Amino acid sequence: GVRVEVLAPSEEARLIGLAAARYFQMRKGAVLNIDIGGGSTELSLVSNDGAPRKLFSMRVGAVGLTEKYLSSNPPGDAEIAAARKEIKLALETPARELGDEAWQLATGTSGTILNLASLLNPAEKYDAGGGGEIELEKLVALNRRLARMTIEQRVALRPHQPGISPSRAQVIVAGGLILEAVMQALKIPALRPCLYALR
């Protein structure tokens, strides 16, 4: 008795961008949001009133990229390089079309981004509207560190706080690589994690 409606990729990107704009109560300008899912990554450039300006859904996600390339524990250099190559290809069109755009705030949604933010800012809480930024320079160093660790070592990173679950630990390397590549391609030095998302 339940009617299921499957969202088009552009509608998913629009709703996520709208959520980020509402979360930060944007009064002017635009927000650029990055949402890293299991099978895709959405980039949403949305005006403060929620009107979409540019929306992209790339067929690279943390789970899909892990299953396709990062099978070793920890992944090898060749695996990381192959994953980076696919992300770079997926980013060609969004990077070109967003090149002349401007935004006042860069944000990030999804469990992967919140987990990365939590690792970079261990004293912060991301469950009550607070939380520190993800700085690109620090993310690059964290990604290098995570890629050298086994899944078990990643799970044990924060044993006394809400940290990385075993399932998240398996895909966080891929998620971190996606976020790093997007931030580099779009020249984003830092972004703010957002607790709102599609749901």
Side-chain angles (χ1 to χ4, degrees), residues 6 9 21 25 46 72 75 82 98 117 122 136 147 179 181 183 192 198-199:
V6 179
Q25 299 179 348
V46 179
S72 301
L98 287 167
L136 176 57
L179 182 58
M183 292 178 74
R192 292 181 65 184
L198 184 62
R199 285 179 288 180

Side-chain angles (χ1 to χ4, degrees), residues 3-4 16 36 118 151 162 176 178-179:
R3 182 174 175 272
V4 175
I16 295 168
I36 300 171
S118 183
I151 294 168
I178 294 169
L179 182 58

Side-chain angles (χ1 to χ4, degrees), residues 62-198:
V63 175
L65 211 61
T66 300
E67 291 176 348
K68 190 171 181 181
Y69 296 111
L70 309 179
S71 57
S72 301
N73 186 24
D77 291 343
E79 293 175 308
I80 297 286
R84 285 188 189 277
K85 185 176 180 182
E86 178 148 332
I87 299 164
K88 185 177 179 182
L89 285 171
L91 266 168
E92 283 182 353
T93 299
R96 184 174 62 251
E97 295 196 20
L98 287 167
D100 295 329
E101 295 286 350
W103 50 85
Q104 280 58 52
L105 182 64
T107 64
T109 50
S110 77
T112 292
I113 286 179
L114 291 175
N115 270 264
L116 289 166
S118 183
L119 289 170
L120 288 168
N121 305 287
E124 301 278 354
K125 289 189 176 179
Y126 290 88
D127 56 0
E133 291 186 326
I134 294 178
E135 296 175 27
L136 176 57
E137 190 177 334
K138 292 180 179 177
L139 175 64
V140 170
L142 175 64
N143 283 344
R144 243 185 254 119
R145 182 179 165 214
L146 290 173
R148 291 194 297 263
M149 301 172 109
T150 64
I151 294 168
E152 296 74 21
Q153 288 171 325
R154 290 178 217 138
V155 172
L157 275 174
R158 299 180 64 203
H160 305 298
Q161 304 173 52
I164 306 178
S165 67
S167 59
R168 182 76 63 190
Q170 192 170 359
V171 301
I172 200 163
V173 171
L177 292 175
I178 294 169
L179 182 58
E180 177 184 324
V182 172
M183 292 178 74
Q184 287 175 336
L186 301 181
K187 299 178 174 57
I188 300 170
L191 63 79
R192 292 181 65 184
C194 173
L195 295 183
Y196 286 7
L198 184 62

